[in-house]
Amino acid sequence: MTHQAEVSGEDILRQRLRDAQFRVTPGRLRVFRALQSHAAPVTIQTLADELTEDGLNLTTVYRVMEAFVALSVAHPTLIGHQTVGYELVEPFRPHHDHLVCSVCGQVVDIYECGLNAALAAMSRGGGYQVEFHQVELHGVCAECSSDGNHGV
Amino acid sequence: MTHQAEVSGEDILRQRLRDAQFRVTPGRLRVFRALQSHAAPVTIQTLADELTEDGLNLTTVYRVMEAFVALSVAHPTLIGHQTVGYELVEPFRPHHDHLVCSVCGQVVDIYECGLNAALAAMSRGGGYQVEFHQVELHGVCAECSSDGNHGV
DNA sequence: TTATTTGCAAAGCGTTTGCATTGGG
DNA sequence: CCCAATGCAAACGCTTTGCAAATAA
């Protein structure tokens, strides 16, 4: 009778940190949890606002995020026109793409994505080994196209 | 016998500027031409390096780009992890997507994209009117996967 | 114990803003 | 002519860096 152990995202993170000779520190765990608690991509600034209240340093948030990107725990995304946000990637959260409203800026996640075959075809020929994809559909959301809304 | 006039990108730009009550100025034309001369997305910094030699002010480049984004002449894209670059959009240049090498950072444009049907399906249900899409495939290019290259 | 990580403060630098001048319509 | 656009310089704010103290392993 085998007992299938639960493997949490945090366990995977710990493992991945150790494998790369990075230490498992409270700061890294806190940033990770903060990322988990957000559905949409978040800026460093937003994370810091939440975490510095608990005594975590802003510089540390930057450094932790740098490590997370290097270890493919999180990746950057463009929010709006100039802002870079971060979000967890697989296996820390399911893969998804974005529907971005160009009027109000709202970002909706799309989890159902039947693009894998088509995307694989697109990458053929160049000899690329595709690791992940990111699709952004820009348009106007239902709400903004109904009311005469002109901005956030 | 009708004479089909050629309509250049610059003509369309002029028209679009006038329609929005923006003036057609040398600065705007120069930034536009600079964008046209680049195949890949370029940073403001790069544009400025090219244009300030000709006496164009850095601040002006920022302001022109702001106008271009507002008028949907150009749009921002994430280059690498932290950098925002800009490129012209349709009809100023044909729509395309990106193949990004995560090792060397090289960006290859993909012009053949059979995703329109699939993307339309993805956006259904939310009531979004999709204006354009942006697909990024991240992976390792042929060169980087053959030699043991570890970064730019 | 030892190398990594963190906190703090200062430096760095890309971006924005104010205002006088220039110039497009 | 008038209002928008530009240039210039200063202000701003995000990000990075250096170094000493704290701490994971």
Side-chain angles (χ1 to χ4, degrees):
Chain A
M1 192 192 275
T2 13
H3 184 283
Q4 178 67 52
E6 288 290 323
V7 180
S8 70
E10 216 167 288
D11 291 335
I12 302 173
L13 174 69
R14 286 189 147 91
Q15 189 59 50
R16 202 174 286 195
L17 286 171
R18 281 191 224 101
D19 289 350
Q21 323 250 239
F22 281 62
R23 291 177 183 176
V24 176
T25 63
R28 287 173 178 157
L29 292 175
R30 272 195 271 174
V31 172
F32 181 75
R33 288 178 197 136
L35 280 171
Q36 279 186 314
S37 74
H38 286 274
V42 276
T43 62
I44 299 254
Q45 215 51 233
T46 303
L47 284 177
D49 289 345
E50 297 172 13
L51 294 167
T52 48
E53 291 179 359
D54 291 302
L56 194 64
N57 190 276
L58 173 60
T59 304
T60 301
V61 178
Y62 277 100
R63 290 194 273 222
V64 168
M65 195 58 74
E66 187 186 1
F68 281 5
V69 171
L71 297 178
S72 292
V73 169
H75 75 98
T77 306
L78 199 53
I79 305 178
H81 287 328
Q82 320 258 19
T83 331
V84 178
Y86 295 86
E87 59 182 357
L88 294 175
V89 299
E90 290 191 299
F92 303 101
R93 78 170 290 202
H95 168 76
H96 60 277
D97 296 304
H98 292 143
L99 213 45
V100 184
C101 178
S102 50
V103 178
C104 66
Q106 177 199 191
V107 178
V108 177
D109 292 341
I110 309 172
Y111 287 93
E112 259 324 302
C113 156
L115 298 182
N116 292 318
L119 293 171
M122 282 172 75
S123 64
R124 249 172 245 142
Y128 263 75
Q129 299 170 275
V130 174
E131 294 169 335
F132 70 93
H133 70 259
Q134 176 100 40
V135 175
E136 273 187 25
L137 300 175
H138 293 255
V140 182
C141 70
E143 200 167 301
C144 288
S145 57
S146 60
D147 55 50
N149 190 357
H150 283 289
V152 178
Chain B
M1 192 191 273
T2 14
H3 184 282
Q4 178 65 51
E6 288 291 323
V7 180
S8 71
E10 216 167 287
D11 291 334
I12 302 173
L13 174 70
R14 286 190 147 91
Q15 189 59 51
R16 202 176 285 195
L17 286 171
R18 283 191 223 102
D19 289 350
Q21 324 250 237
F22 282 62
R23 293 175 183 176
V24 176
T25 63
R28 286 174 178 157
L29 292 175
R30 271 195 272 173
V31 172
F32 181 75
R33 289 178 196 134
L35 280 171
Q36 279 186 313
S37 75
H38 285 274
V42 275
T43 62
I44 299 254
Q45 216 50 235
T46 304
L47 285 177
D49 289 345
E50 298 173 12
L51 294 167
T52 49
E53 291 179 359
D54 290 302
L56 193 63
N57 191 275
L58 173 61
T59 304
T60 301
V61 179
Y62 277 102
R63 291 194 272 224
V64 169
M65 196 57 76
E66 187 185 1
F68 281 5
V69 172
L71 297 178
S72 292
V73 170
H75 75 98
T77 306
L78 200 54
I79 304 179
H81 287 328
Q82 320 258 17
T83 329
V84 178
Y86 295 86
E87 58 182 358
L88 294 176
V89 299
E90 289 191 299
F92 304 100
R93 80 170 290 202
H95 168 76
H96 59 277
D97 296 303
H98 293 143
L99 212 46
V100 184
C101 177
S102 50
V103 178
C104 65
Q106 176 199 189
V107 178
V108 177
D109 293 341
I110 310 172
Y111 287 93
E112 259 324 302
C113 157
L115 298 181
N116 291 318
L119 293 171
M122 282 173 75
S123 65
R124 251 171 243 142
Y128 264 74
Q129 299 171 273
V130 173
E131 295 169 334
F132 70 92
H133 69 259
Q134 177 100 40
V135 175
E136 273 188 25
L137 301 175
H138 293 256
V140 183
C141 70
E143 200 167 301
C144 288
S145 57
S146 59
D147 56 49
N149 189 357
H150 282 289
V152 178

